[in-house]
């Protein structure tokens, strides 16, 4: 059974009974938390939240005293209004200092054992949009000097602070608030989302196949209504596991939690939605690159699943966020999906941007050639396909390219040139039906009906269900004057596919 | 009888604990049922999970590896184990335990044995005593605390000098290969040198013992069959016997084993020919111990090596395109701040990337190192004399020549020059 890595708590109003119920549940849950564990406590503000945090911290300390192998990081997330930030000394002495005092025994213990203290208090400040730089820096300094390593939660209104290097240097971590709401539930969601982004990045780095796994074990508890949720998806869907007001035992709660863990869920889809949330947020470079890499990965998954519209969406967003070194592969993938959706101009534009990196790859020239082919620009298509051939593609790719080249020449009425390419294809892949179909067409145009019939017969031998090749055979026999065979071939074609209009018309004329 | 062995490293991802693997294999060969629990920073385990594991496995003996930085965890886990069943006996072993003062028992209420000698034979003796129902009889190689709380030191117990007499943890299937990223190899044990800051030579009485090359090859082939390609040789000096290391590399080459190797050795034990062979055999990274680039400091560490020799070894490795890691320390005896800066400059000048193991660290004074015993002679001034008896001076000291603040300043300087934030892999 996986241990709980994190518990996110939305603190409620100052309701003593409710707080005691929450503390009882948390204390019981500590037996199920990982030996290194993070507790996030979100409150509307210090005056309301601090007494609750202090009460919870007592239980945390008690647990740690009894379990020396455990390590707990308590993240205390709270807004600091612009006005309050100006009274730093008061704030520090009245709120933070008393909180810090309760951790001194763990600081001493850490010092004695030459180790980082097992209880770390990590305030996360949610500054408002009116924040003054100097006040914020002063607050960060005060907290850091007391070994209360501060982090910041920044939403779209305050994310400009990430451009301030001095503020960043004094900040342990920055959390990003997608959206523009600073409500407690939004904050919890964004903290959780950010953890999912980091977890997904780690999986992408080690083995992307694990991306379908659930996110790290966590619970969300809302002390406001007592509901406990098994993950962010359940929280957003309001699908609670239990209510702490129902006197449910922790064993029962955890048993429900593990049941939820075993249930069939779309964790990959949830990860994708979470990552997508940050795609429009003005993230600083490092965070943006992380999200960009993930969007690219999800784009490739969509592409492989054949969902090219979704893939284009992911790749386009990834381009805005990724590191410049990643552009070429994103553009190439984007080009592929545009090709698949029939947007050949966009595809070529994307491919062109990828060319400096892919200039020595045969498949690159094949796909660009394909775009020109589909656009009807056979001359350009031939130029691209020729480049692909010069780069020694794999045999099956070579055959495909040669068939396209033959088709291009046919379309340009260059039937002899077509034969050159198609005969080469026949040499490399005598089992591919398309080679003979296109050869049949070329020979027909050159009025070499025997050769055409020879090749088309081979085509229907390989693919006896190919109606169009029977129809072509019919036309060749007709031109040769063998009307009976022509009729037989047209009839065979129509038996296989009654919708071949040309065969029907030709048959009627012959009859 | 069941024996549980626990390796704790909360500061790095879990990796196969080679020493516990040897003990597990040895005890298994003597009829015991052994389980290894590795707790790394990526291990997911709760108090309830630990409780469940101990309740279901029902070990009669638990062995915990002890390091300076994990003592709190050792104490905490011991307490939990005893809360499951007070009859379970608990032994600690490893670098922190070998020379830990016996007085430490006063602050280790749940520990029954401190292992002083070779892990395999010492733990076997304890296990047999427990199995016989006389857990404190006929013991050697340990200090123990009996049921009345009285502490006894026993005589020494010699391990095998022919390491092949220990069954292989790899061939015995002690480790789980499915999650193994790299295999840690230990083809030899011990060190003959007299470096004043190091515990290893004292622990092995300045002797080196070896596995045969046949045995090492058998293990490597087995590991490769299991799909693990990266080998991490933990031998303190793998090229101590040059002919042996050449034979090992030749065999790897002859058998065409596609491996990627990390190893460490002394800079005066390598040559151009050996380095060339290493490269061909798959050595991608080699680590040397420099400690200090200051001639005045280095000459007093008992290491008997020169910075010039290390520079030469670096060049030999770099010419073969082998990545070099350099172990260095600051806060050494006789070292002034300028000396430690000289070490940093040496690393930069020789184009060794400051990352991973090349991130320097403050010298740690552990039990068993000559300096721990005679720290005053080396002008070491401990900063905290009230530490628990199971904790050594470690990093809480300053020297006659470097204040606590200067040591911190040096640490910051290294971090500022680091490419990865300054986290060292091997401590």
């Amino acid at each position: 059974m996986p241990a709980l890595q994190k518990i996110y708590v939305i603190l409620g109003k100052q309701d003593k009974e409710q707080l005691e119920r929450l503390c009882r549940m948390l204390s019981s849950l500590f037996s199920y938390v990982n030996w290194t564990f993070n507790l996030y406590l979100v409150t509307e503000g210090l005056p309301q939240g601090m007494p609750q945090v202090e009460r919870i911290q007592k239980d945390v300390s008690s647990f740690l005293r009894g379990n020396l192998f455990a390590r707990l990081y308590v993240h205390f997330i709270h807004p600091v209004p612009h006005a309050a930030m100006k009274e730093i000394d008061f704030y520090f002495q009245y709120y933070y200092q008393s909180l810090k005092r309760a951790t001194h025994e763990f600081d001493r213990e850490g010092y004695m054992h030459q180790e980082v203290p097992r209880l770390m208090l990590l305030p996360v400040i949610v500054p408002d949009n009116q924040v003054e730089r100097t006040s914020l820096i002063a607050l960060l300094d005060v907290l850091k000097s007391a070994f209360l390593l501060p982090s910041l939660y920044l939403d779209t209104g305050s994310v400009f602070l990430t451009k301030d290097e001095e503020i960043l240097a004094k900040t342990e971590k920055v959390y990003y608030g997608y959206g523009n709401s600073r409500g407690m539930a939004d904050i919890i969601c964004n903290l959780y989302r950010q953890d999912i982004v980091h977890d997904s990045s780690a999986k992408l780095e080690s083995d992307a196949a694990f991306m379908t796994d659930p996110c790290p074990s966590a619970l969300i508890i809302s002390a406001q209504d007592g509901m406990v949720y098994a993950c962010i998806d359940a929280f957003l869907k309001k699908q609670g596991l239990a209510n702490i007001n129902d006197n449910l035992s922790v064993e029962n709660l955890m048993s429900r939690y593990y049941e939820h863990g075993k249930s069939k869920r779309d964790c990959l889809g949830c990860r994708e939605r979470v990552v997508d949330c940050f795609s429009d947020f003005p993230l600083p470079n490092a965070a943006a690159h992380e999200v960009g890499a993930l969007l690219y990965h999800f784009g490739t998954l969509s592409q492989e699943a054949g969902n090219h519209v979704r893939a284009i969406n992911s790749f386009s967003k990834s381009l805005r966020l990724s590191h410049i070194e990643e552009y070429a592969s994103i553009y190439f993938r984007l080009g592929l999906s545009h090709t698949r959706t029939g947007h050949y101009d966009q595809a070529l534009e994307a491919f062109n941007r990828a060319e400096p990196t892919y200039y020595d790859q045969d498949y690159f020239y094949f796909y660009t050639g394909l775009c020109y082919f589909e656009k009807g620009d056979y001359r350009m298509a031939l130029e691209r396909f020729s480049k692909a051939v010069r780069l020694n593609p794999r045999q099956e790719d070579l055959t495909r390219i040669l068939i396209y080249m033959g088709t291009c020449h046919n379309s340009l009425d260059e039937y002899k040139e077509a034969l050159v390419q198609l005969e080469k294809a026949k040499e490399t892949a005598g089992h591919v039906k398309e080679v003979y179909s296109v050869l049949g067409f070329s020979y027909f145009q050159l009025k070499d009906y025997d050769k055409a019939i020879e090749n088309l017969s081979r085509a229907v031998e390989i693919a006896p269900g190919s109606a169009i090749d029977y129809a072509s055979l019919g036309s060749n026999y007709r031109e040769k004057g063998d009307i009976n065979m022509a009729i037989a071939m047209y009839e065979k074609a129509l038996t296989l596919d009654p919708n071949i209009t040309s065969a029907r018309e030709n048959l009627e004329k012959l009859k | 009888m069941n024996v549980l062995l626990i390796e704790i490293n909360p500061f790095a991802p879990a990796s196969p604990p080679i020493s516990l693997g040897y003990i597990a294999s040895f005890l298994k060969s003597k009829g015991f049922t052994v389980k290894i629990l590795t707790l790394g920073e990526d291990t997911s385990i709760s108090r309830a999970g630990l409780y469940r594991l101990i309740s279901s496995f029902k070990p009669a003996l638990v062995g915990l590896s002890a390091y300076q930085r994990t003592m709190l965890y050792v104490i905490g886990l011991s307490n939990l184990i005893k809360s499951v069943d007070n009859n379970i006996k608990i032994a600690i072993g490893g670098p922190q335990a070998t020379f830990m003062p016996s007085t430490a028992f006063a602050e280790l209420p749940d520990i029954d044995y401190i292992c002083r000698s070779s892990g395999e034979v010492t733990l076997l003796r304890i296990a047999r005593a427990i199995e016989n129902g006389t857990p404190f009889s006929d013991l050697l190689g340990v200090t123990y605390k009996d049921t009345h709380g009285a502490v006894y030191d026993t005589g020494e117990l010699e391990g095998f000098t022919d390491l092949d007499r220990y069954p292989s943890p790899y061939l015995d299937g002690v480790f789980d290969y499915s999650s193994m990223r790299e295999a840690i190899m230990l083809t030899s044990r011990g060190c003959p040198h007299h470096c004043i800051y190091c515990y290893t030579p004292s622990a092995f009485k300045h002797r080196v013992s070896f596995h045969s090359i046949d045995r090492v090859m058998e293990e490597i082939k087995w590991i490769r069959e299991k799909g693990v390609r990266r080998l991490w040789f933990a031998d303190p000096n793998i090229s101590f016997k040059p002919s042996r290391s050449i034979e090992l590399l030749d065999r790897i080459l002859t058998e065409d084993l596609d491996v990627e190797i990390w190893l460490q050795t002394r800079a005066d034990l390598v040559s151009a020919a050996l380095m060339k062979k290493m490269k061909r055999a798959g050595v991608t990274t080699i680590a040397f111990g420099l400690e200090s680039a200051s001639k005045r400091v280095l000459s007093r560490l008992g290491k008997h090596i020169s910075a010039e020799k290390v520079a030469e070894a670096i060049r030999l490795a770099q010419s073969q395109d082998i990545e070099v890691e350099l172990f260095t320390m600051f806060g050494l005896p006789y070292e002034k701040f300028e000396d430690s800066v000289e070490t940093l400059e040496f690393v930069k000048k020789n184009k060794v990337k400051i990352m991973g193991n090349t991130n320097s660290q403050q010298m740690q004074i552990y039990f068993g190192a000559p300096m721990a015993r005679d720290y005053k002679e080396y002008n070491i001034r401990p900063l905290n004399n009230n530490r628990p008896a199971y904790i050594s001076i470690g990093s809480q000291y300053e020297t006659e020549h470097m204040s606590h603040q200067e040591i911190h300043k040096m640490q910051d300087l290294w971090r500022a020059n680091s490419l990865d934030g300054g986290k060292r892999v091997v401590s």
Side-chain angles (χ1 to χ4, degrees):
Chain A
M1 298 294 181
L4 291 169
Q5 304 286 331
K6 295 179 178 188
I7 296 181
Y8 301 85
V9 182
I10 301 172
L11 294 172
K13 303 284 174 204
Q14 292 189 41
D15 177 339
K16 209 171 171 188
E17 274 183 37
Q18 180 76 341
L19 179 62
E20 286 309 311
R21 275 194 291 273
L22 172 69
C23 287
R24 273 198 298 279
M25 180 50 79
L26 282 177
S27 294
S28 311
L29 281 170
F30 288 153
S31 278
Y32 294 86
V33 302
N34 195 37
W35 65 321
T36 298
F37 170 72
N38 288 274
L39 178 62
Y40 295 84
L41 304 170
V42 185
T43 178
E44 273 179 343
L46 283 177
Q48 306 92 321
M50 192 55 78
Q52 300 181 65
V53 174
E54 284 179 352
R55 171 66 191 86
I56 292 168
Q57 191 178 309
K58 274 186 191 166
D59 288 346
V60 167
S61 299
S62 166
F63 172 73
L64 289 176
R65 267 182 230 120
N67 296 279
L68 295 183
F69 55 84
R71 176 176 290 275
L72 236 151
Y73 299 97
V74 179
H75 307 260
F76 172 40
I77 303 108
H78 60 88
V80 179
H82 168 61
M85 216 176 268
K86 290 188 166 176
E87 297 169 31
I88 297 153
D89 288 344
F90 167 78
Y91 244 70
F92 181 72
Q93 280 167 23
Y94 197 79
Y95 294 115
Y96 295 114
Q97 207 166 42
S98 64
L99 192 66
K100 181 62 196 168
R101 211 171 286 130
T103 71
H104 283 171
E105 64 175 290
F106 296 100
D107 292 346
R108 271 196 304 278
E109 178 195 77
Y111 178 71
M112 296 303 270
H113 291 84
Q114 301 182 25
E115 196 36 72
V116 178
R118 291 186 302 123
L119 174 58
M120 295 287 284
L121 288 178
L122 302 162
V124 182
I125 295 161
V126 186
D128 66 22
N129 303 349
Q130 307 298 312
V131 63
E132 271 181 18
R133 181 179 180 274
T134 45
S135 306
L136 180 59
I137 287 175
L139 177 60
L140 296 173
D141 279 339
V142 166
L143 291 172
K144 207 159 185 175
S145 66
F147 205 48
L148 286 155
L149 307 178
S151 295
L152 287 175
Y153 174 93
L154 305 176
D155 60 15
T156 41
S158 52
V159 74
F160 67 90
L161 290 169
T162 56
K163 294 195 171 75
D164 191 315
E165 284 185 15
E166 194 178 350
I167 288 176
L168 283 190
K170 293 171 190 294
T171 306
E172 196 66 13
K173 186 173 177 180
V174 178
Y175 297 92
Y176 299 102
Y178 144 75
N180 206 8
S181 168
R182 302 156 88 234
M184 290 193 286
D186 294 307
I187 290 174
I188 282 279
C189 283
N190 283 325
L191 296 181
Y192 203 130
R193 284 186 182 115
Q194 206 154 328
D195 282 334
I196 291 179
V197 169
H198 293 324
D199 181 64
S200 302
S201 282
K203 284 187 163 53
L204 189 61
E205 207 166 291
S206 59
D207 187 348
F210 293 130
M211 205 79 96
T212 51
D213 287 357
C215 52
S217 307
L219 284 176
I220 298 175
I221 303 176
S222 169
Q224 292 176 332
D225 59 7
M227 290 305 292
V228 183
Y229 302 90
C231 65
I232 189 170
D233 196 42
F235 181 68
L236 291 170
K237 290 174 178 163
K238 304 274 176 226
Q239 294 169 342
L241 269 186
N243 194 306
I244 57 173
N245 299 326
D246 294 342
N247 291 324
L248 186 77
S249 72
V250 72
E251 290 79 14
N252 273 331
L253 173 67
M254 289 310 290
S255 142
R256 288 187 195 180
Y257 176 74
Y258 293 133
E259 281 298 310
H260 170 85
K262 282 187 254 171
S263 65
K264 207 174 173 190
R265 289 164 293 144
D266 179 17
C267 292
L268 183 67
C270 182
R271 282 181 194 275
E272 188 171 359
R273 285 192 295 279
V274 162
V275 171
D276 194 57
C277 283
F278 291 100
S279 61
D280 293 324
F281 190 82
L283 293 166
N285 283 347
H289 295 162
E290 191 179 10
V291 172
L294 286 165
L295 284 165
Y296 172 72
H297 174 73
F298 289 120
T300 58
L301 292 182
S302 297
Q303 191 168 64
E304 280 155 21
N307 191 340
H308 293 285
V309 174
R310 194 161 161 178
I312 288 168
N313 185 37
S314 297
F315 292 135
S316 304
K317 286 177 177 174
S318 175
L319 270 175
R320 279 195 273 112
L321 298 166
S322 295
H323 192 272
I324 193 163
E325 284 177 5
E326 311 297 331
Y327 282 7
S329 47
I330 304 170
Y331 273 122
F332 180 71
R333 287 276 187 169
L334 185 62
L336 285 184
S337 279
H338 277 312
T339 308
R340 297 281 184 228
T341 50
H343 298 108
Y344 302 112
D345 286 327
Q346 287 100 317
L348 282 169
E349 194 184 327
F351 284 139
N352 284 342
R353 288 173 184 267
E355 187 160 4
T357 303
Y358 286 82
Y359 70 96
D360 55 354
Q361 301 296 326
D362 59 90
Y363 56 83
F364 173 77
Y365 293 105
F366 168 72
Y367 284 113
T368 51
L370 185 64
C371 286
Y372 285 116
F373 177 85
E374 296 291 353
K375 273 163 59 76
D377 187 343
Y378 301 113
R379 200 56 72 198
M380 277 301 286
L382 276 170
E383 188 257 326
R384 292 281 152 155
F385 289 139
S386 302
K387 273 192 178 175
V389 170
R390 283 200 292 275
L391 288 165
N392 296 323
R394 291 180 309 165
Q395 191 171 316
E396 68 236 53
D397 295 335
L398 176 62
T399 308
R400 197 153 57 129
I401 297 166
L402 291 171
I403 295 170
Y404 270 107
M405 288 180 79
T407 312
C408 284
H409 282 301
N410 279 342
S411 303
L412 291 165
D413 299 335
E414 298 167 353
Y415 307 111
K416 286 186 180 165
E417 288 81 353
L419 289 181
V420 173
Q421 304 303 335
L422 294 165
E423 289 294 344
K424 274 191 226 165
K426 197 155 83 174
E427 278 169 34
T428 60
H431 60 284
V432 178
K433 174 247 167 203
E434 283 74 16
V435 176
Y436 300 99
S437 303
V438 187
L439 268 170
F441 179 80
S442 304
Y443 280 118
F444 177 80
Q445 294 297 336
L446 290 167
K447 303 189 188 314
D448 188 343
Y449 304 117
D450 289 331
K451 278 276 190 188
I453 288 168
E454 183 189 321
N455 282 290
L456 289 165
S457 300
R458 180 80 181 110
V460 295
E461 194 182 314
I462 296 168
S466 176
I468 193 73
D469 288 317
Y470 278 109
S472 300
L473 274 168
S475 299
N476 278 284
Y477 281 117
R478 183 196 63 205
E479 293 304 312
K480 268 188 72 167
D482 189 343
I483 304 303
N484 288 340
M485 278 300 282
I487 290 171
M489 291 298 120
Y490 284 135
E491 282 175 345
K492 176 79 176 172
L494 288 166
T495 313
L496 291 166
D497 182 359
N499 298 319
I500 302 184
T501 321
S502 60
R504 186 173 303 285
E505 286 169 2
N506 283 324
L507 186 61
E508 278 167 11
K509 278 182 201 164
L510 288 177
K511 279 185 172 174
Chain B
M1 183 183 122
N2 292 349
V3 180
L4 177 64
L5 301 175
I6 306 178
E7 174 81 8
I8 312 160
N9 186 356
F11 316 106
S15 61
I18 186 68
S19 301
L20 291 190
Y22 270 98
I23 296 172
S25 243
F26 190 64
L27 293 181
K28 274 173 77 178
S29 73
K30 303 295 178 190
F32 294 94
T33 303
V34 190
K35 189 191 274 279
I36 297 179
L37 173 64
T38 311
L39 300 175
E41 68 177 6
D42 52 353
T43 310
S44 168
I45 193 132
S46 63
R47 181 188 162 82
L50 285 164
Y51 200 96
R52 206 165 32 242
L53 187 147
I54 294 156
S55 308
S56 59
F57 185 61
K58 298 188 190 318
L61 170 64
V62 177
L64 293 131
S65 55
Y67 302 86
Q68 170 107 338
R69 294 180 75 193
T70 61
M71 281 312 294
L72 261 179
Y73 298 86
V74 166
I75 297 167
L77 284 171
S78 303
N79 181 260
L80 174 72
I81 292 160
K82 292 278 186 180
S83 75
V84 177
D85 181 352
N86 199 35
N87 291 316
I88 298 173
K89 296 288 179 242
I90 300 177
I92 59 169
Q96 191 73 1
T98 309
F99 297 103
M100 184 185 284
S102 302
T103 51
F105 264 126
E107 293 162 288
L108 300 170
D110 299 307
I111 307 293
D112 300 292
Y113 312 92
I114 300 176
C115 297
R116 311 296 199 179
S117 298
S118 183
E120 293 90 343
V121 289
T122 309
L123 221 58
L124 173 65
R125 204 137 180 146
I126 296 171
R128 281 187 172 153
I130 294 169
E131 195 175 38
N132 293 336
T134 53
F136 301 114
S137 293
D138 198 25
L139 297 175
L140 280 176
V142 295
T143 300
Y144 67 89
K145 183 175 64 187
D146 72 7
T147 42
H148 307 293
V151 173
Y152 299 92
D153 288 311
T154 68
E156 287 186 24
L157 186 57
E158 286 289 327
F160 301 141
T161 48
D162 172 10
L163 296 184
D164 285 0
R165 289 183 65 189
Y166 295 121
S168 164
Y170 287 107
L171 303 174
D172 275 7
V174 163
F175 297 129
D176 172 15
Y177 290 93
S178 63
S179 57
M180 196 182 280
R181 286 166 287 213
E182 61 186 1
I184 299 173
M185 310 292 297
L186 197 56
T187 81
S188 63
R189 298 183 191 181
C191 178
H193 297 283
H194 293 80
C195 304
I196 58 172
Y197 50 82
C198 187
Y199 136 100
T200 304
S202 313
F204 292 89
K205 298 193 169 52
H206 301 275
R207 290 193 298 247
V208 187
S209 45
F210 302 94
H211 272 302
S212 67
I213 296 298
D214 282 343
R215 161 72 176 266
V216 178
M217 287 305 296
E218 201 182 348
E219 287 186 341
I220 295 176
K221 280 190 268 183
W222 182 251
I223 290 163
R224 281 303 288 124
E225 271 178 38
K226 296 288 178 187
V228 180
R229 189 167 166 257
R230 292 180 64 195
L231 305 176
W232 208 92
F233 285 86
D235 307 44
N237 294 305
I238 195 162
S239 53
F240 175 66
K241 271 191 189 173
S243 59
R244 181 178 176 273
S245 42
I246 287 170
E247 188 190 345
L248 174 63
L249 296 168
D250 277 339
R251 292 277 298 274
I252 291 173
L253 283 166
T254 312
E255 309 223 11
D256 200 20
L257 297 171
D258 175 29
V259 287
E260 193 179 299
I261 297 171
W262 182 99
L263 54 80
Q264 57 185 343
T265 193
R266 279 177 65 93
D268 54 1
L269 291 174
V270 293
S271 62
L274 180 64
M275 209 65 91
K276 209 170 175 178
K277 193 158 279 192
M278 281 183 178
K279 175 67 183 177
R280 283 177 53 219
V283 174
T284 54
T285 310
I286 187 164
F288 300 116
L290 167 67
E291 319 316 342
S292 171
S294 157
K295 192 174 179 183
R296 190 175 54 79
V297 177
L298 189 54
S299 64
R300 293 179 174 188
L301 297 180
K303 194 174 174 77
H304 303 299
I305 206 161
S306 67
E308 291 75 23
K309 192 78 197 166
V310 175
E312 191 188 322
I314 294 170
R315 275 193 297 279
L316 287 176
Q318 288 172 340
S319 70
Q320 291 300 321
D321 204 19
I322 295 176
E323 194 72 42
V324 175
E325 292 182 343
L326 213 50
F327 293 119
T328 59
M329 294 190 281
F330 48 88
L332 290 157
Y334 319 110
E335 186 183 53
K336 293 177 184 166
F337 186 77
E338 311 82 87
D339 295 317
S340 55
V341 173
E342 193 181 332
T343 305
L344 173 61
E345 292 306 320
F346 176 94
V347 176
K348 285 158 69 175
K349 188 181 154 197
N350 284 280
K351 297 185 171 48
V352 180
K353 285 182 201 155
I354 302 178
M355 59 191 291
N357 290 320
T358 306
N359 288 311
S360 192
Q361 68 173 13
Q362 185 189 345
M363 177 181 70
Q364 304 283 316
I365 304 175
Y366 293 136
F367 295 133
M371 204 184 297
R373 190 183 55 232
D374 306 318
Y375 66 88
K376 284 181 188 160
E377 283 180 29
Y378 294 101
N379 298 311
I380 300 289
R381 298 173 189 149
L383 296 173
N384 174 20
N385 285 316
N386 296 319
R387 60 187 182 276
Y390 54 77
I391 292 286
S392 62
I393 295 171
S395 59
Q396 282 176 346
Y397 69 88
E398 57 185 10
T399 71
E400 187 186 6
H401 302 290
M402 258 176 112
S403 67
H404 187 49
Q405 289 76 14
E406 282 176 312
I407 289 174
H408 268 281
K409 198 173 156 191
M410 199 59 223
Q411 186 167 36
D412 290 342
L413 198 53
W414 273 99
R415 277 194 189 142
N417 281 279
S418 173
L419 297 171
D420 64 357
K423 197 175 177 187
R424 187 150 153 176
V425 183
V426 177
S427 177

